[in-house]
Amino acid sequence: MHPRLTTDLAELPSLLEATRLQAAEMLGRLDEQPVVPPLRAPAPEPLPEEGAGLAATLAEFARTWAPLFSASAGPRYLGFVTGGVTPAALAGDWLTAAADQNPASALDGAAPELERRTIAWLRDLFGLGAAHEGTFVSGATMSNTVGLAIAREWLGQRAGVSVAEEGAAALGRVTVLSGSPHSSIAKGLSMLGLGRTALIPVPTVQGREAVDPVALERALTQVEGPCVVVANAGTVNTVDYDDLRAITALRERHDFWLHVDAAFGGFAALSPDHADLVAGLDAADSICIDLHKWLNVPYDSAVQFTRHQDLQVRVFQNAAAYLGPLGETPDHVHLTPENSRRLRALAAWFTLRAYGRDGHREIVERNIACACALGQAIKTIPGLRLLAPVRLNVVCFTLAEDPTAERLADLAAALAEEAFLTPTTYAGVPALRAAFSNWRTTQIDVHRITEALKGSLDRLS
Ligand SMILES: *Cc1c(COP(=O)(O)O)cnc(C)c1O
């Protein structure tokens, strides 16, 4: 064994303790460090010929890279939709790496079963019935792509061809209808050989991002043969929801696969006051829900659900002599794009075990309350204007006067030490979004953000 490895193996317990202390130190300053640090990086160095050993590497990381990381795990990082990491999720993630399981196949140990049990808990958390089976994937983009891949196989079945065997060309032109799809839908269609132009936008309800069911029915009437509808349960700008029950009712007259992108909006199911937004979710053929957003597990983690695991196996089966037969309960290796992968389920299992449905409901409801409070505060700041009602956990706003992209970028930059908000355009107007999905965020943070907004505005003009 290399001498550095020999030393690190002998000192493993104390090195892990040093790593733990360093992590605790990083987390300890999350609340006070600049949310966005100066954007620079250490000078590049050649690949080390002689390693430094873990102790020296920890020290170097603490000095060089760690101070340049954003406080994305902290309470005022409101860019994109970015959850943090609950204590239990962090412990689960550390132990995932320590145990280094590959849950792809069931030939060794219980890790794949832990993944299935965690999926069952998540199904319950989101109010889905037992017909939905699921797996862990790396994020909502991959979850959407897997859902669309199964939809593609279903379209093939309807047309009497096997896309898995013959390729996407066997299908001809495919139509995917959606009101306000996330950008990852087009990316998924590109990856799947269906093409970005398969995606046909459907008009939304006047002044909203939710699809207009009447316009959707009109579009369905114009499509020849079966197609795919991507419904959106939580749009990124205004957290608007398609009416899932109205869309499901259209299946009486039209033949389509219903995929629901509920990446973060699915968490409305946890709050009795908001669960109605996702009523009808269970009827979907495939569902995407991100876990590294509002479940507050570390990157990278999401779940995909489907009622059609038989079709999923056709797409993703990975037949090899050494992997064993398919069987009644297909191994995960036959269900997702990856073969080998980490046991992502463990972090989710830890946080659900440690805090339960009630703990995670509290996070969701507190985040919603924070978003509402910031929305109220923005209404009282003369230089700012809300662009949409705060429906859930995102506040979309702009400058009351001269809302150019440049001025909004200046405002975001002026805020960046105290809070991170990301730019967007909504209804043609450049804007900023503040998305609340971190378990640490409280009303104290809302107050700090409000004060920072006022201060930055003063400096802006
Ligand atoms: C974040 C998000 C995605 C993409 O998620 P990743 O985890 O970044 O791949 C897809 N759809 C919606 C609605 C999202 O909010």
Side-chain angles (χ1 to χ4, degrees):
M1 192 183 282
H2 189 280
R4 291 287 192 211
L5 288 169
T6 308
T7 315
D8 280 1
L9 177 59
E11 289 172 15
L12 191 55
S14 69
L15 289 168
L16 289 179
E17 185 58 15
T19 309
R20 182 188 69 78
L21 288 173
Q22 193 160 317
E25 192 274 327
M26 282 174 82
L27 293 172
R29 63 188 157 75
L30 262 188
D31 212 26
E32 294 314 320
Q33 75 169 88
V35 178
V36 181
L39 297 178
R40 56 186 159 77
E45 287 185 84
L47 169 71
E49 289 301 333
E50 296 293 321
L54 176 50
T57 303
L58 275 171
E60 182 184 325
F61 172 70
R63 200 178 58 246
T64 54
W65 288 100
L68 302 176
F69 284 1
S70 72
S72 85
R76 290 181 312 288
Y77 186 100
L78 309 177
F80 317 107
V81 181
T82 304
V85 182
T86 64
L90 180 58
D93 197 69
W94 282 1
L95 296 176
T96 302
D100 197 24
Q101 301 290 289
N102 179 358
S105 101
L107 293 176
D108 65 339
E113 194 52 32
L114 180 135
E115 176 160 339
R116 284 190 201 98
R117 303 282 172 86
T118 310
I119 290 286
W121 281 358
L122 289 165
R123 188 164 61 199
D124 198 352
L125 189 70
F126 298 114
L128 302 175
H132 276 285
E133 294 175 283
T135 53
F136 278 77
V137 288
S138 59
T141 300
M142 201 41 91
S143 176
N144 278 330
T145 303
V146 169
L148 292 168
I150 309 170
R152 187 184 63 178
E153 200 61 23
W154 175 84
L155 287 172
Q157 192 182 46
R158 281 290 197 270
V161 297
S162 165
V163 178
E165 297 303 323
E166 297 167 49
L171 214 47
R173 195 90 197 125
V174 163
T175 301
V176 179
L177 301 171
S178 191
S180 303
H182 187 267
S183 50
S184 59
I185 297 295
K187 180 172 177 168
L189 293 172
S190 163
M191 284 195 274
L192 292 168
L194 299 176
R196 294 175 193 268
T197 58
L199 185 58
I200 308 293
V202 179
T204 56
V205 176
Q206 176 71 30
R208 291 198 24 204
E209 289 186 301
V211 76
D212 177 354
V214 176
L216 180 60
E217 170 135 48
R218 206 175 305 129
L220 283 165
T221 309
Q222 283 160 11
V223 179
E224 250 178 70
C227 68
V228 178
V229 171
V230 173
N232 303 292
T235 57
V236 288
N237 274 338
T238 69
V239 200
D240 212 340
Y241 285 78
D242 290 354
D243 182 338
L244 299 178
R245 280 176 294 202
I247 295 175
T248 302
L250 295 175
R251 291 164 125 183
E252 286 167 22
R253 296 185 292 280
H254 304 276
D255 194 21
F256 60 89
W257 177 279
L258 177 56
H259 174 79
V260 181
D261 181 354
F264 69 95
F267 283 80
L270 276 66
S271 161
D273 286 348
H274 302 90
D276 209 43
L277 293 168
V278 284
L281 183 63
D282 186 54
D285 296 294
S286 53
I287 301 169
C288 152
I289 299 184
D290 233 334
L291 302 179
H292 54 219
K293 289 176 179 166
W294 226 347
L295 192 68
N296 280 260
V297 298
Y299 290 104
D300 43 13
S301 187
V303 61
Q304 59 78 216
F305 290 106
T306 184
R307 303 170 155 275
H308 305 268
Q309 202 174 61
D310 53 329
L311 293 174
Q312 181 169 10
V313 168
R314 279 201 226 160
V315 180
F316 295 106
Q317 69 173 288
N318 188 77
Y322 65 93
L323 283 172
L326 255 175
E328 275 269 302
T329 312
D331 285 345
H332 298 297
V333 70
H334 300 301
L335 296 172
T336 63
E338 309 99 325
N339 281 355
S340 300
R341 59 205 179 91
R342 74 202 309 264
L343 182 59
R344 292 190 183 98
L346 194 55
W349 185 89
F350 260 75
T351 199
L352 291 171
R353 179 81 255 175
Y355 312 118
R357 190 197 301 272
D358 204 49
H360 280 277
R361 177 187 54 73
E362 192 276 332
I363 295 172
V364 166
E365 292 186 335
R366 175 156 43 85
N367 287 156
I368 296 171
C370 286
C372 290
L374 182 64
Q376 285 303 327
I378 283 174
K379 280 187 194 163
T380 68
I381 302 176
L384 298 177
R385 178 165 74 87
L386 266 189
L387 270 183
V390 179
R391 289 198 179 84
L392 206 69
N393 62 327
V394 175
V395 186
C396 184
F397 66 96
T398 192
L399 290 161
E401 274 164 41
D402 197 15
T404 59
E406 292 71 26
R407 275 168 52 82
L408 283 153
D410 288 347
L411 178 59
L415 279 172
E417 275 216 5
E418 187 73 350
F420 180 59
L421 277 63
T422 39
T424 189
T425 300
Y426 176 62
V429 183
L432 291 180
R433 299 167 60 252
F436 292 80
S437 47
N438 189 298
W439 69 282
R440 290 172 175 262
T441 312
T442 67
Q443 294 289 347
I444 295 172
D445 297 298
V446 175
H447 181 72
R448 283 179 65 167
I449 297 158
T450 308
E451 292 306 304
L453 269 171
K454 288 181 190 158
S456 304
L457 274 175
D458 289 345
R459 276 175 282 147
L460 197 64
S461 38

